Amino acid sequence: MSTDEDSTNETHWDLAPKFDFVDAHRLPFSSDKVSLKKIDTECSGPFEGKAHGRAFTHQANIEIRDLQYRMYTEGKQSLLIVLQAPDAAGKDGLIRKVLGQMNPQGCRTYPFKVPSSEERAHDFLWRIHKATPAAGKVSVFNRSHYEDVLVVRVEDLVPKSVWKERYEIINNFEKLLAHRGTRILKFYLHISPREQLERFKKRLDDPTKHWKLNAGDYAARDKWGDYREAYEDAMEKCHSKIAPWHVIPADKKWYRDASVAAIVRDTLRDMDPKLPEIDADLDEIRRLYERELDELNE
């Protein structure tokens, strides 16, 4: 029998492995300084290979869709998912393969790019707050309010006296959302410089991906250490039980997808949304239905 990780023999795969993805990838709640250097960018977790991981993701997506539907109909809780990562770490792919599988009626993705002139005329959270999820909804942030303590810091767009005050503002903002009933999950997709460069090459070699090419991506690689330090500070200063950071090994795309799917699924399980109680008279509705059916059949 082939031992290739892409084998399609699913009969032996455990799609409910006893593996705690949250415990494996959520940062610890301690005073220790965060060091991304000490966290692996590659992982296989409980999976035998790519095909096993993809089968798990497919199964998790089915449950995520069901739980999201329940949350939407319940209309009481909400979920905010924050994605941060270096370029090419796979935010778009993760959204397409996992988070984008949710019903768009109750889930929206917000890509936060360079602020417009109108957005710059307001406080840095103005455009963010408008995109937070209403009761029953899910919001996915493709980049987020953390750009205002990352890019602005590394690229020296605002003085240190400005961005260093934003950590506390962000913490208070996330407390406000949690108080309203929003669960917050923050994911950093952890990719190695070598894997990022390999993905840049694939973009060069694939004409359908040329639109993603940007010379600025290479300039950012020159500041890899500065960005890593900025991320570490953001994680250290803005990591809490109500808004935890998860560092996801992202060199293997299939593991990135599987681990995030598992954490989102387990979070929705914990939220335990309920279908709303029925206050209609079911017997009366059934009688009306049967009457209509009889009239059609006459």
Side-chain angles (χ1 to χ4, degrees):
M1 180 183 294
S2 172
T3 58
D4 190 293
E5 71 172 6
D6 289 319
S7 169
T8 57
N9 179 9
E10 304 181 19
T11 58
H12 66 289
W13 289 339
D14 181 2
L15 298 184
K18 291 179 172 56
F19 184 83
D20 192 330
F21 291 89
V22 172
D23 184 64
H25 302 307
R26 186 178 63 193
L27 290 177
F29 296 109
S30 68
S31 58
D32 295 341
K33 183 168 178 57
V34 175
S35 175
L36 289 173
K37 276 186 175 181
K38 296 179 180 179
I39 301 176
D40 290 336
T41 59
E42 185 171 324
C43 181
S44 295
F47 304 115
E48 297 177 32
K50 182 190 297 184
H52 185 187
R54 286 179 172 172
F56 173 88
T57 301
H58 174 73
Q59 191 69 28
N61 281 344
I62 293 173
E63 187 172 353
I64 288 171
R65 287 195 293 269
D66 176 67
L67 289 164
Q68 183 232 349
Y69 171 74
R70 290 173 177 269
M71 187 175 72
Y72 176 72
T73 59
E74 179 189 59
K76 295 179 180 179
Q77 308 175 81
S78 56
L79 177 63
L80 172 60
I81 299 171
V82 172
L83 302 180
Q84 290 286 160
D87 193 61
K91 297 186 302 299
D92 291 342
L94 175 63
I95 291 169
R96 185 174 64 254
K97 296 174 183 176
V98 179
L99 306 177
Q101 299 296 309
M102 287 186 269
N103 188 333
Q105 190 172 15
C107 178
R108 284 196 61 185
T109 297
Y110 297 88
F112 290 102
K113 300 184 183 296
V114 176
S116 66
S117 57
E118 180 185 20
E119 290 167 342
R120 288 196 300 271
H122 291 80
D123 67 271
F124 78 99
L125 288 176
W126 181 73
R127 65 175 182 159
I128 305 295
H129 208 154
K130 295 191 298 181
T132 57
K137 302 293 184 67
V138 179
S139 287
V140 179
F141 286 180
N142 185 341
R143 302 191 186 278
S144 68
H145 42 300
Y146 283 96
E147 293 295 290
D148 288 283
V149 291
L150 296 168
V151 175
V152 299
R153 167 179 168 169
V154 175
E155 303 300 335
D156 200 23
L157 300 179
V158 300
K160 181 178 180 179
S161 60
V162 173
W163 59 255
K164 75 176 184 178
E165 301 294 332
R166 290 177 173 173
Y167 300 114
E168 184 177 358
I169 296 171
I170 288 173
N171 284 331
N172 289 332
F173 171 65
E174 292 174 347
K175 287 179 184 177
L176 174 64
L177 297 182
H179 180 72
R180 172 59 184 83
T182 299
R183 290 286 289 267
I184 304 170
L185 291 174
K186 298 181 294 195
F187 296 103
Y188 174 72
L189 308 185
H190 192 28
I191 189 174
S192 66
R194 179 178 293 277
E195 177 63 22
Q196 185 193 56
L197 194 60
E198 289 180 4
R199 294 184 188 179
F200 283 173
K201 182 179 185 303
K202 290 179 181 177
R203 290 180 179 181
L204 277 171
D205 294 342
D206 185 351
T208 67
K209 295 184 178 180
H210 283 178
W211 64 274
K212 292 185 175 183
L213 298 176
N214 187 339
D217 294 339
Y218 294 89
R221 282 178 63 84
D222 293 336
K223 299 177 181 179
W224 189 278
D226 295 332
Y227 273 103
R228 181 175 60 214
E229 183 178 352
Y231 270 114
E232 289 170 345
D233 282 351
M235 293 176 192
E236 182 180 333
K237 297 178 187 299
C238 300
H239 176 55
S240 65
K241 291 184 178 179
I242 63 167
W245 275 105
H246 303 79
V247 179
I248 304 298
D251 279 4
K252 292 182 177 180
K253 297 178 182 179
W254 61 266
Y255 184 79
R256 171 203 70 201
D257 297 342
S259 56
V260 171
I263 294 169
V264 171
R265 178 203 62 192
D266 291 349
T267 299
L268 286 168
R269 281 178 177 175
D270 186 61
M271 293 170 72
D272 194 23
K274 306 293 187 184
L275 293 173
E277 294 184 5
I278 302 299
D279 57 5
D281 185 338
L282 293 181
D283 290 336
E284 174 64 11
I285 292 175
R286 187 176 300 279
R287 185 188 66 78
L288 293 171
Y289 162 76
E290 291 174 350
R291 185 191 69 185
E292 292 294 320
L293 183 62
D294 289 341
E295 291 178 358
L296 286 174
N297 290 334
E298 287 180 358

